[in-house]
Amino acid sequence: MSKTSSSSRNNAHRQLRNLGVIAHVDAGKTTTTERILFYTGESHRIGDVNDGTAQMDFDPQEQKRGITINSAAVTVHWKGTQLNLIDTPGHIDFNIEVNRSLRVLDGAVVVFDGVAGVEPQTETNWRLADKYRVPRIAFINKLDRVGADFHRVVAMMEDRLGVRVVPLQIPIGAEGDFHGVVDLLSMRARIWDRDDASAPYREADVPADLLEHAVRSRARLVEAAVEQDEAALQAYVNGEEIAVDVLRAAVRKGVLAGAFVPALAGSAFKNRGVEPLLDAVVDYLPAPEDIVREGEGETAADPFKALAFKVVTDDHGAKVFVRVYSGRLGRGDVVLNTSTGKTERVSRLYEVHADKHIERDELVAGDIAAVVGLKDTLTGHTLSDPAHPVVLEQISVPEPVIHVAIEPKASADQQGLSKALQSLLREDPSLRLQLDAESGQTILSGMGELQLEVSIEKLRARHGVNVSVGRPQVAYRETISRSVEVHHVHKKQSGGPGQFAEVRLLLEPLPRGEGIRFESRIVGGAVPREFIPSVEAGIRRAALAGAVAGFPATDFAAILLDGSFHERDSSTLAFELAAMAAFREGFAKAAPQVLEPVMAVEVITPVDYLGDAIGDLNRRRGLVRGQGQRGIAATVEAEVPLKEMFGYIGSLRALSSGRAQYSMQLDHYGVVPAAQVAELMG
């Protein structure tokens, strides 16, 4: 690695914001991002999700489906500050995209639908942002829609997300008459007289009918802000007027500390509220040096370290998106992938502007950019200076809940399919691939029907491989419900060297989601130390194949209590085979159960169809957890087994004349009732 130059050090402290835009599907997230591109001068025309011209959704499938699938990185500038902006999907099937983006971002704009408020996927994304300690500002969008209510959404945020929300604005006008905001810091109105994005807002006095409301709202904002600054608090207590720039700095402190979330109002589609949102991004979201996560110091002077958070493959090879946490990276540099132990050479560096690329000579701390030339780097891998190896925190990848069998339509496509699948797996770490030993089929697993559909479409469209696809299947699991001790001797003697291994195992159930835990309690060398890893390998191998119903076993502890060996006939293979047999025998005696993914489902329906919607969920083995109201619509929250949700959208549309909608996400794995287990095994 070459040494850091003084110019690199200065660059590290330039005005920079790394931020994501996150939301529930259809909250207007991509529309908001398109307006940001327009107002920052990155785009000279406004793209539209509805007609497939959104610049951030440049993937043909995104344009066809009208949703964001891949998080797209774009670099823009606003009032002297560089914004590295990542637009992420709202659909639960592509949640890994949100997860890996939040891992490397410093701040986020969370877009809320002004009518629907806090929706299930917003909640999931919010919890992810909590996990990665990402400071946020809220943009309450679609305030021009019938039923939109800024203050109701603020109350929902506080109630459902458990956060303190501090409005920085209040809307002027409601629904179709929404045409401006009162800025509570300056106590000035910002009015948009036309929908035309090229017409800037004008400043005006606060409307007389809103003045009292604005004064009360500003008082609450000031109280929240001064709590973050001792000098400002003392001045406030003494009855002094607090200067606007002092309040702005105090709000920034509160955002960085996670003390509260500022809320702004707007309608991105009508081009209202976007410029103040950009001002708030610069004023309140952190610069890279404001964020210090464990092991992630932000200076160019330190040795190089970066995290790979996304891989994109195309006709020209693989681009690896990285976040640089310290040091610098230049063209031709050799880096160490500490996750694999291999060194790799960087051939090119690119700043990415949606689907356009601008070549860079070097990257410095705080940069998010694409690297070409890394052949073995995957999502979540750490790159570092070979002389100073370091491993950053991994990106967690959820377990898949659904799978399909795929095979090439023509035998000539077999090799192409294999290569294309490897490319898909590099891009999307939430996909899994395995070969079914019995059927010989290739099994592709993922987070939902839409994700698998999109992946299979990529095989055809991007890689030219036509495949036959089986019906979607649920990813069942097996577990045990009581403890059992089992003893097994593996003995084979048929001329030549024999095989011998004896093991005594204790199998115990674990709570849901714990996976497999192995422990050895061997004392005194009853089983030599070199054979103990083979016992664990045998257990894990047998668990993967399934002990009772043929589904992978999980949520159990396997404890090696005792055993014995033979000086000549014992081997790693003998102990692995003994452990496999002991596991299968013990599992069958430990009251085995089959588990299935159970989804948290939210249905939003006109009140007229509420009874039909609940009846349909009940028929699907659904458990209704609650009902509520959202604007003029009714909501139903239920837990429903994933198996029963296949084809649900068609049924819901039919029973509601196309007016109801739903969203779902994995809630937990539940025990399959005996009648369904018999059906599965039949």
Side-chain angles (χ1 to χ4, degrees):
M1 302 288 296
S2 43
K3 288 182 180 172
T4 307
S5 66
S6 59
S7 64
S8 298
R9 271 193 293 276
N10 295 336
N11 282 345
H13 294 283
R14 67 201 183 285
Q15 282 288 88
L16 175 64
R17 303 288 181 273
N18 290 316
L19 71 143
V21 182
I22 58 176
H24 185 92
V25 68
D26 284 337
K29 175 177 40 56
T30 298
T31 303
T32 303
T33 310
E34 290 296 324
R35 296 321 187 255
I36 288 172
L37 294 189
F38 180 82
Y39 284 109
T40 55
E42 177 64 21
S43 165
H44 299 294
R45 65 176 180 82
I46 292 185
D48 190 345
V49 178
N50 298 319
D51 62 19
T53 60
Q55 312 229 348
M56 295 295 274
D57 289 352
F58 51 83
D59 182 292
Q61 287 207 65
E62 296 180 316
Q63 293 170 359
K64 175 180 155 190
R65 296 170 192 273
I67 61 168
T68 304
I69 294 167
N70 308 296
S71 57
V74 65
T75 297
V76 298
H77 293 83
W78 181 253
K79 296 184 178 176
T81 297
Q82 179 180 325
L83 312 180
N84 288 334
L85 183 72
I86 291 191
D87 181 33
T88 58
H91 199 286
I92 184 64
D93 285 17
F94 305 102
N95 192 244
I96 182 68
E97 289 278 339
V98 185
N99 194 331
R100 59 186 171 190
S101 299
L102 282 169
R103 172 64 183 83
V104 297
L105 294 171
D106 301 325
V109 171
V110 185
V111 181
F112 293 84
D113 183 317
V115 180
V118 179
E119 298 174 271
Q121 192 55 26
T122 324
E123 216 166 322
T124 301
N125 290 338
W126 195 272
R127 303 294 171 225
L128 275 173
D130 283 344
K131 175 183 173 182
Y132 293 124
R133 303 188 299 283
V134 177
R136 280 144 272 182
I137 56 179
F139 181 59
I140 299 174
N141 189 29
K142 298 192 177 184
L143 289 177
D144 59 308
R145 297 284 182 91
V146 174
D149 186 331
F150 178 82
H151 300 291
R152 181 171 53 80
V153 176
V154 167
M156 274 182 89
M157 287 175 65
E158 296 200 319
D159 179 46
R160 290 199 174 193
L161 303 174
V163 293
R164 184 180 183 188
V165 182
V166 177
L168 300 181
Q169 304 168 342
I170 56 172
I172 301 173
E175 300 180 343
D177 185 42
F178 169 69
H179 62 282
V181 297
V182 175
D183 176 73
L184 296 174
L185 281 172
S186 64
M187 284 298 276
R188 297 285 291 162
R190 292 172 174 180
I191 309 291
W192 287 267
D193 293 310
R194 290 183 289 154
D195 294 348
D196 184 357
S198 57
Y201 64 81
R202 63 180 174 85
E203 282 209 356
D205 292 334
V206 177
D209 61 334
L210 279 177
L211 190 56
E212 190 183 333
H213 177 27
V215 168
R216 283 199 312 271
S217 299
R218 188 180 197 271
R220 285 195 291 271
L221 164 59
V222 172
E223 280 174 20
V226 297
E227 285 174 11
Q228 306 302 315
D229 185 288
E230 251 181 72
L233 180 59
Q234 194 58 50
Y236 176 73
V237 169
N238 294 337
E240 296 172 29
E241 184 64 31
I242 312 298
V244 170
D245 59 340
V246 172
L247 286 174
R248 197 170 282 124
V251 170
R252 180 181 176 82
K253 271 188 188 176
V255 173
L256 299 193
F260 51 73
V261 175
L264 295 97
S267 166
F269 184 68
K270 292 287 181 74
N271 306 303
R272 291 169 183 171
V274 180
E275 306 105 300
L277 173 63
L278 283 163
D279 290 342
V281 164
V282 171
D283 289 342
Y284 307 123
L285 288 184
E289 56 267 27
D290 295 322
I291 297 290
V292 181
R293 296 189 186 102
E294 197 175 337
E296 297 174 11
E298 295 279 356
T299 72
D302 291 333
F304 169 74
K305 61 175 174 285
L307 187 75
F309 70 96
K310 183 178 172 70
V311 180
V312 176
T313 55
D314 55 26
D315 299 341
H316 309 293
K319 288 193 293 287
V320 178
F321 284 76
V322 302
R323 163 68 191 262
V324 180
Y325 284 103
S326 64
R328 62 167 296 282
L329 181 66
R331 262 187 313 200
D333 281 353
V334 172
V335 296
L336 172 67
N337 181 330
T338 52
S339 305
T340 64
K342 296 179 180 177
T343 54
E344 302 214 54
R345 184 176 293 278
V346 172
S347 58
R348 286 193 177 88
L349 304 168
Y350 290 106
E351 193 173 281
V352 180
H353 294 244
D355 57 342
K356 300 189 291 290
H357 296 69
I358 295 171
E359 195 154 354
R360 291 269 299 268
D361 291 329
E362 70 170 19
L363 305 180
V364 296
D367 277 338
I368 288 179
V371 180
V372 174
L374 307 176
K375 293 182 171 57
D376 297 307
T377 298
L378 301 177
T379 295
H381 286 181
T382 300
L383 302 172
S384 73
D385 181 337
H388 300 89
V390 64
V391 179
L392 297 171
E393 182 193 347
Q394 272 276 9
I395 293 171
S396 55
V397 179
E399 283 297 312
V401 295
I402 186 170
H403 57 257
V404 290
I406 55 174
E407 54 187 39
K409 284 192 173 170
S411 54
D413 279 337
Q414 183 62 57
Q415 195 174 346
L417 174 62
S418 180
K419 190 177 172 187
L421 285 170
Q422 290 310 315
S423 170
L424 284 186
L425 292 180
R426 278 202 77 184
E427 288 188 7
D428 187 347
S430 68
L431 288 173
R432 300 277 204 287
L433 202 61
Q434 66 185 90
L435 193 67
D436 188 303
E438 286 181 29
S439 66
Q441 289 176 309
T442 299
I443 307 294
L444 184 66
S445 307
M447 297 308 299
E449 282 183 276
L450 181 61
Q451 182 196 23
L452 294 181
E453 223 178 274
V454 166
S455 300
I456 286 155
E457 187 59 35
K458 278 183 185 174
L459 290 177
R460 295 187 182 114
R462 194 196 293 175
H463 300 282
V465 177
N466 283 314
V467 291
S468 299
V469 183
R471 287 184 60 193
Q473 302 291 320
V474 171
Y476 292 101
R477 299 280 185 267
E478 295 178 16
T479 193
I480 54 176
S481 57
R482 64 183 174 86
S483 299
V484 70
E485 204 173 296
V486 61
H487 168 247
H488 184 82
V489 179
H490 174 75
K491 200 171 184 180
K492 196 173 177 187
Q493 196 73 51
S494 54
Q499 287 185 15
F500 179 86
E502 180 182 4
V503 294
R504 187 179 297 279
L505 294 180
L506 171 63
L507 299 181
E508 292 181 332
L510 290 178
R512 294 286 167 268
E514 290 288 312
I516 300 172
R517 196 184 299 154
F518 174 77
E519 181 189 340
S520 169
R521 292 184 188 164
I522 293 295
V523 288
V527 175
R529 191 177 298 165
E530 65 266 27
F531 295 141
I532 290 173
S534 304
V535 174
E536 181 177 2
I539 289 164
R540 290 187 180 276
R541 191 168 148 197
L544 196 60
V548 180
F551 305 118
T554 189
D555 298 342
F556 67 88
I559 299 149
L560 177 59
L561 299 174
D562 200 2
S564 69
F565 71 105
H566 188 281
E567 286 286 358
R568 191 175 61 255
D569 294 344
S570 288
S571 63
T572 53
L573 176 62
F575 272 96
E576 187 170 332
L577 293 172
M580 288 174 73
F583 170 78
R584 282 193 288 262
E585 187 184 321
F587 210 88
K589 294 175 180 173
Q593 296 173 326
V594 176
L595 303 174
E596 64 182 341
V598 177
M599 314 304 284
V601 177
E602 183 184 66
V603 178
I604 303 172
T605 176
V607 177
D608 296 354
Y609 306 107
L610 179 61
D612 290 341
I614 290 173
D616 187 52
L617 290 170
N618 287 336
R619 280 190 294 278
R620 295 171 185 273
R621 294 195 282 132
L623 181 62
V624 174
R625 289 292 192 198
Q627 296 176 46
Q629 200 75 15
R630 189 161 298 169
I632 56 172
T635 62
V636 184
E637 291 178 8
E639 291 176 3
V640 191
L642 175 61
K643 177 181 185 289
E644 310 298 338
M645 292 300 291
F646 289 160
Y648 179 62
I649 188 62
S651 302
L652 186 63
R653 282 178 181 152
L655 69 82
S656 67
S657 303
R659 294 174 63 198
Q661 55 177 299
Y662 84 102
S663 61
M664 70 176 186
Q665 55 192 319
L666 179 65
D667 189 76
H668 66 279
Y669 265 83
V671 177
V672 179
Q676 269 76 33
V677 173
E679 198 182 299
L680 278 174
M681 297 180 71

